[in-house]
């Protein structure tokens, strides 16, 4: 399914700490918070050693709202540094896209 | 390491065919073609069922040059559809970024 361009992507790449208890639950909760957010389009992720998670949004405003909620989520926990030894966040405008085949 | 914004990202998400002989070699070759290209900044990938590969570039011109070379590579092979049952390409402008910790 193609989205209407332009839209926005948040690329989150990360390396986990060797110990990262509670991480999976927190990652699920972050995604749940995204899905119910206005302006949410989709979510994709994969992890080997490096993890890549990308969320897609209609506007920068939606991303800002989601970030406020996830910041609150992290503030209630041990904090990002207890799970991640590295992460990088990129805010991107998706200008063009094309696809082949069906995702399902 | 932070890159100077704005720069560009090509997000490639894909699902493989059950049979995908020669795929790994082709994926390596695509990355090799990227690395020697002017304007190349970096490459990140992860795959579970869904594969996500992202290449980073200083300009749209660099991406166009790389695409011409990879199209040529695919034309010499059985073609994308012999490996992929789905793929999607997104061309994005990275507007902001921030990071925590060290990637190495």
């Amino acid at each position: 399914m193609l989205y209407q361009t332009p839209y926005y992507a948040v690329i989150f790449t990360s390396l986990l700490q060797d110990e990262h208890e509670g991480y999976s639950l927190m990652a699920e909760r972050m995604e749940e918070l995204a899905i119910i957010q206005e302006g949410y389009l989709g979510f994709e992720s994969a992890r080997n050693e490096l993890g890549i998670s990308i969320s897609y949004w209609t506007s920068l405003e939606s991303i800002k709202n989601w970030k406020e909620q996830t910041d609150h989520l992290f503030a209630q926990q041990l904090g990002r540094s207890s799970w991640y030894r590295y992460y990088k966040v990129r805010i991107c405008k998706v200008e063009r896209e094309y696809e082949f085949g069906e995702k399902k």
Side-chain angles (χ1 to χ4, degrees), chain A residues 14-18 20 23 47 49 83-86:
Chain A
S14 66
L15 296 169
L16 293 174
Q17 300 282 7
D18 292 337
H20 49 265
Y23 164 75
R47 176 175 296 279
E49 188 192 358
W83 290 302
Y84 300 113
R85 62 186 164 93
Y86 166 82

Side-chain angles (χ1 to χ4, degrees), chain A residues 31-47:
Chain A
E31 193 175 339
E32 284 166 9
L33 282 173
I35 289 167
I36 58 172
Q37 193 71 43
E38 197 185 325
Y40 168 82
L41 290 171
F43 195 88
E44 294 178 312
S45 66
R47 176 175 296 279

Side-chain angles (χ1 to χ4, degrees), chain A residues 10-25:
Chain A
V10 180
I11 304 174
F12 183 84
T13 49
S14 66
L15 296 169
L16 293 174
Q17 300 282 7
D18 292 337
E19 295 288 325
H20 49 265
E21 198 189 323
Y23 164 75
S24 299
L25 212 63

Side-chain angles (χ1 to χ4, degrees), chain A residues 28-94:
Chain A
E28 275 174 36
R29 187 76 189 109
M30 277 186 75
E31 193 175 339
E32 284 166 9
L33 282 173
I35 289 167
I36 58 172
Q37 193 71 43
E38 197 185 325
Y40 168 82
L41 290 171
F43 195 88
E44 294 178 312
S45 66
R47 176 175 296 279
N48 301 126
E49 188 192 358
L50 181 74
I52 306 179
S53 298
I54 313 179
S55 55
Y56 301 104
W57 304 88
T58 55
S59 69
L60 290 173
E61 186 64 25
S62 313
I63 293 169
K64 188 168 163 278
N65 291 339
W66 181 51
K67 184 179 184 302
E68 275 168 18
Q69 294 193 31
T70 57
D71 281 351
H72 186 63
L73 177 69
F74 278 115
Q76 294 169 323
Q77 312 277 337
L78 297 170
R80 286 172 171 81
S81 60
S82 63
W83 290 302
Y84 300 113
R85 62 186 164 93
Y86 166 82
Y87 66 79
K88 183 162 181 168
V89 179
R90 291 176 172 95
I91 312 292
C92 314
K93 181 191 270 184
V94 183

